[in-house]
Amino acid sequence: MVDAVVERAPGARGKTPRRPAKRPNAALLPVSGRGSFWLYLLPGFVLLTVIVLVPLVWNVYLSFTSYRGIRPPKWIGLDNWTKLFADDKFWTSFGNSVAMIVAMVVVPTLLGLLLAAMLFDLIGKKFGGRLASFLRATYYLPQILPVVIAAIVIGWILRPDNGALNTVLKAVGLGALQHNWLGNPDTALASIMVVMVWVQLGYPVVIFMAALQRVDPELYEAAELDGANWFQRFRSITVSIIRPEIFVVTLTCTIAALKVFGPVYTLTRGGPGTATIVPSYYSYSEFFQSQQVGYGATIATALTVVIVAVAILFIIAQTRAERRENER
């Protein structure tokens, strides 16, 4: 009966079922064919080993030694780690890293979302895509500049005597607000935070505007016909669709904030006092200024552990968010 039904089924007459194509057995391939693709991966593995893995293992080893860079390292066990957890300067540096996360992650991401949505949804529609592209490039310009050069220019602007900022304040009658912006512990960290917001803002704007290209314009039109204002469309459509890009920007910017070095080194050298010190600069100063290589390696290893832990937490959060989105 089953065979008869199959024979009478429309479209089945005269056709024989196709058999899946047999894949070549890897055991029958020549040895040169099976292993040749490893030759393309070999340069990457060599560079990864030499540039990343070997220095990482050596750094971790040095964190358990007393080493000044001249005599061979002396094993001291957990002494450096015990010292690290009791070091107030180390915890101050991590507190300043939290401020850098605010300046390089929270503020640029929120402003980048708003600016990207405005450039794409408002300016792009009313004034054309050329103006939106020009403004996008303008926001991204600080990312093109080398960090050290940008920091030197900002240092000139914030000079206490003849800096551009104090000169402008004096010219407009606000001479009372003149200040040693980078030399005062109360304003040094805030000044660097403002600089980092300016430097970092263009990155999320570019990423989010690229992500908005895959949003269906009909969604905005349908929401507008339903009476939704711009902010409601932004919250319900824009943010929900480009959520993967938001995770990527947040993760990469958080890693950059935790290991920021150039602006602090160029502008303040961690000062005045410990007002702007961050873990990367603290590790550098222990390596090259105090010649406490073992303790500097301990700081660098602790920073690496924190960055890896943050990356894992972000990936877990993104995976759970995508899973909840797929279950809806």
Side-chain angles (χ1 to χ4, degrees), residues 235-264:
R235 182 187 61 186
S236 302
I237 298 175
T238 303
V239 175
S240 62
I241 291 179
I242 68 172
R243 185 176 293 133
E245 285 79 7
I246 295 175
F247 272 107
V248 171
V249 168
T250 306
L251 174 59
T252 54
C253 291
T254 301
I255 294 175
L258 288 172
K259 62 187 185 70
V260 64
F261 174 81
V264 174

Side-chain angles (χ1 to χ4, degrees), residues 234-317:
F234 167 77
R235 182 187 61 186
S236 302
I237 298 175
T238 303
V239 175
S240 62
I241 291 179
I242 68 172
R243 185 176 293 133
E245 285 79 7
I246 295 175
F247 272 107
V248 171
V249 168
T250 306
L251 174 59
T252 54
C253 291
T254 301
I255 294 175
L258 288 172
K259 62 187 185 70
V260 64
F261 174 81
V264 174
Y265 175 80
T266 307
L267 291 173
T268 62
R269 303 294 176 93
T274 59
T276 59
I277 194 169
V278 290
S280 58
Y281 182 81
Y282 188 24
S283 176
Y284 163 83
S285 64
E286 291 296 316
F287 264 107
F288 299 105
Q289 296 175 0
S290 302
Q291 293 184 345
Q292 298 292 334
V293 178
Y295 191 59
T298 306
I299 300 171
T301 303
L303 180 60
T304 303
V305 172
V306 171
I307 291 175
V308 171
V310 169
I312 292 174
L313 291 176
F314 267 97
I315 293 173
I316 293 174

